[in-house]
Amino acid sequence: MEKAQAYIRIHELREILNEANRLYYVENSPTLSDYEFDMLLKELDGLEKEYPEYISADSPTRRVGSDLKKEFEQYPHRYPMLSLGNTYDISEVQLFADRASKGIGNSFTYSCELKFDGTAICLTYRNGKLFRALTRGDGSVGDDVTRNVRQISNIPQSLTLPAGFIPTSDIPAPWPQEFEIRGEIYMPWAAFDRLNDERIEEEEQPFANPRNAASGSLKLIDSRMVANRGLECTLYHMLGENLPFSTHDQALKAAEDWGLPVSDKRRICRDIEEIEDFINHWDIERKNLPYATDGIVIKVNELPYQEELGYTSKFPRWAVAYKFKAEQALTKLISIDYQVGRTGAVTPVANLEPVQLSGTVVKRASLHNADQMEQLDIRIGDYVYVEKGGEIIPKITGVELSQRTADATLPRFPEFCPDCGTALIKDEEEAKSFCPNQTGCPTQIKGRLVHFLSRKAMNVIAGDATVEQLFNKALVWNVADFYDLKTEHLLMLDGWKDRSAGRFIKSLQESRKVEFDRVLYALGIRYVGEATARSIARHFGNIDAVMDASVEDLLTVDDVGQVIAESVHDFFTEESNREIVSRLKAAGLKFDMGETPQKLSDGLEGKTIVISGNFSISRDEMKALIAAHGGKNSGSISGKTAFLLAGEKAGPEKLKKADSLGIRVLSEEEFMDIIGGSGEAESADSENGIHTSKGVQLSLF
Ligand SMILES: [Zn+2]
């Protein structure tokens, strides 16, 4: 790969992995399977090794994902809470063992343990009582979830004295006055299935896997609810000052004696053969465990040797995780449905002969797109391998060609929308086929309606079936129609009574309080997810500014690239969408951020300004300052640009372009003069060594 390409790929990978980390740790709804994630991480690591000039401290290769949430108090970890280096390859376990042997130089042992698939926890016991429980957080700071952890039944509030231990005034207890013990909080399969059944009943999104269910439950705000989630804990690493143990195994045995939950499924191994035996045994046996495991952890058992080997910035050098490949099942492909989604993308979905996989019966699996079908060379009637990744719907990963029969038929990806008959368009970049009939394709319309009402959007209580009925009875065609619904309309629906209709109308009424960023998300603009909607809403402040924004304007928003900018611009160019917005406005929905920034002057009214470089205040503050004086920010220079405001290290391309178009270039000082700032006040401040934001000073004028 060429250097320029590597640079682009590195940034692309970091973006994908950071977003995947956020979805995984904060939203608890993963988009990538662990395997996919680990492979991308490996690719990034390889590129960073090849091009060390692009290494950055905040790369996902050097940072653990963060689960921090603002709802919880945060405390620093006494010892950094790192993750483990992991591999799917037994030869890398061998390499780990070789490195450890070389580093230690003496004979030593390994402790092999199950890798529980849950969420990491760090418990502190002080004087034998549970004092605090922190999540991993970002590795150095964790969320305080002590209240919730107290609801988990197998975590003791107080330690118990081992049988035969007689306390004396010299040795009052066998445990250190204070120590930390780390482990995993997980949700057993039975509790997981029960929880998801309840969620489906309540029309809530089910959790993708027990791990997400566990971390979501641990972060519940109402700790009473945690008690009903059936969480369990297993502990695997004790830390403290001068612990009286020489091996990790002794420490865990002691913890067990004190009443702490420690897994009995571990073994002390002497060499790689014994490690491999342990791995192979559990790769099969784990299917019979009542909880999810995703691998084996191999640790150097002797504590002095652990210390000797030490840590990298992200991993301990004395431990490694071997991860099992996702569980597979072999079954017959009966047929393929082609489903149209909310954005018009047509996805092939396989109907399978029911088969047992990771604790559930699988009947349907995703095939992603036409390219993947071709790659797999799949036929109707084939025996196929299915795997569960991070998503609820499993995917087909391979075809067992040895079992193909003569009557297996080649599937044909449709050329026309299975729903409305419009010719499909293929998006080469995404390898997906789209139905372009956005305003007339029933599935797309219904998909947008369902999205609009969904919990993260307008949060209106209604199931897909309600939307289906409203649409079929021609009561709702676009999202604005919801707000014209009257009780008598709703009573036309099957099984609806005054009470359910009243509840729905009230829920719609409530949705008028939903903040602008979520309303913008609810509109269902392609590629605009929650986070992007928030950035756009904050940047522009109100819908009119968003609707009038050019692609260049949109590109100045953080996290908005060309594809998103074009998508937003196209959406609002469509007259029908503008009409929907004006009807929603009339219905009373929130279309501005509320806190309109204080208007300081209209000195820049009608002027479009481009900024470049660094200023004494942040670029966002500078943009806000321009807006507060009535000016308009733009990302690129054109004939309409009033002037280029150039700070330190202004972009040479921009300066050149301004020069060629004869556009004035202003320094920060000149700009401050224009809007009424004064150089004197600033120099006085710098003499006093006080850094005052000029925005603050200006508001005084
Ligand atoms: Zn269609």
Side-chain angles (χ1 to χ4, degrees), residues 340 344 346 416-422 424 435-438 440-444:
V340 190
V346 177
F416 298 94
C417 174
D419 206 30
C420 71
T422 307
L424 298 178
C435 165
N437 184 15
Q438 287 194 15
C441 183
T443 315
Q444 292 190 54

Side-chain angles (χ1 to χ4, degrees), residues 459-535:
N459 194 22
V460 174
I461 309 158
D464 297 5
T466 304
V467 169
E468 183 84 37
Q469 283 203 59
L470 288 168
F471 179 81
N472 290 344
K473 293 205 164 21
L475 289 167
V476 174
W477 183 259
N478 66 49
V479 298
D481 296 336
F482 282 123
Y483 295 89
D484 292 340
L485 288 173
K486 300 275 179 317
T487 309
E488 59 261 37
H489 298 133
L490 295 168
L491 292 176
M492 291 162 63
L493 307 184
D494 295 340
W496 281 59
K497 301 262 165 16
D498 281 332
R499 215 174 126 228
S500 38
R503 206 168 71 124
F504 186 73
I505 298 276
K506 187 165 171 248
S507 189
L508 275 172
Q509 183 67 37
E510 284 289 306
S511 76
R512 290 175 166 92
K513 293 184 202 150
V514 168
E515 296 298 337
F516 171 44
D517 56 331
R518 278 172 57 196
V519 178
L520 187 62
Y521 167 68
L523 293 177
I525 305 166
R526 204 161 146 201
Y527 307 122
V528 178
E530 280 178 275
T532 311
R534 211 174 303 131
S535 302

Side-chain angles (χ1 to χ4, degrees), residues 336 338 345-349 366-376 378 413 426-433:
I336 298 175
Y338 298 90
V346 177
T347 314
V349 178
S366 167
L367 272 161
H368 290 301
N369 54 40
D371 284 5
Q372 208 212 357
M373 285 166 56
E374 213 167 288
Q375 254 170 34
L376 290 169
I378 202 165
F413 202 94
K426 193 158 178 194
D427 184 331
E428 293 300 336
E429 220 165 289
E430 283 196 88
K432 270 187 175 167
S433 293

Side-chain angles (χ1 to χ4, degrees), residues 383-411:
Y383 278 83
V384 295
Y385 290 101
V386 279
E387 240 175 56
K388 270 191 183 176
E391 291 144 52
I392 275 277
I393 180 153
K395 54 190 166 191
I396 293 183
T397 54
V399 174
E400 186 49 64
L401 292 172
S402 69
Q403 294 192 39
R404 177 170 286 171
T405 54
D407 58 354
T409 53
L410 193 68

Side-chain angles (χ1 to χ4, degrees), residues 253-303:
K253 279 190 177 134
E256 202 176 358
D257 282 346
W258 307 337
L260 290 163
V262 173
S263 170
D264 58 358
K265 300 186 174 40
R266 51 199 174 88
R267 187 190 297 166
I268 300 299
C269 295
R270 282 164 305 175
D271 51 34
I272 186 78
E273 282 74 33
E274 291 185 6
I275 295 174
E276 255 183 87
D277 280 350
F278 188 78
I279 288 175
N280 293 336
H281 172 76
W282 284 110
D283 197 5
I284 309 289
E285 268 309 300
R286 69 193 175 109
K287 285 157 202 166
N288 302 318
L289 293 171
Y291 41 76
T293 52
D294 60 344
I296 298 294
V297 179
I298 302 121
K299 300 170 180 169
V300 169
N301 185 34
E302 288 75 13
L303 299 178

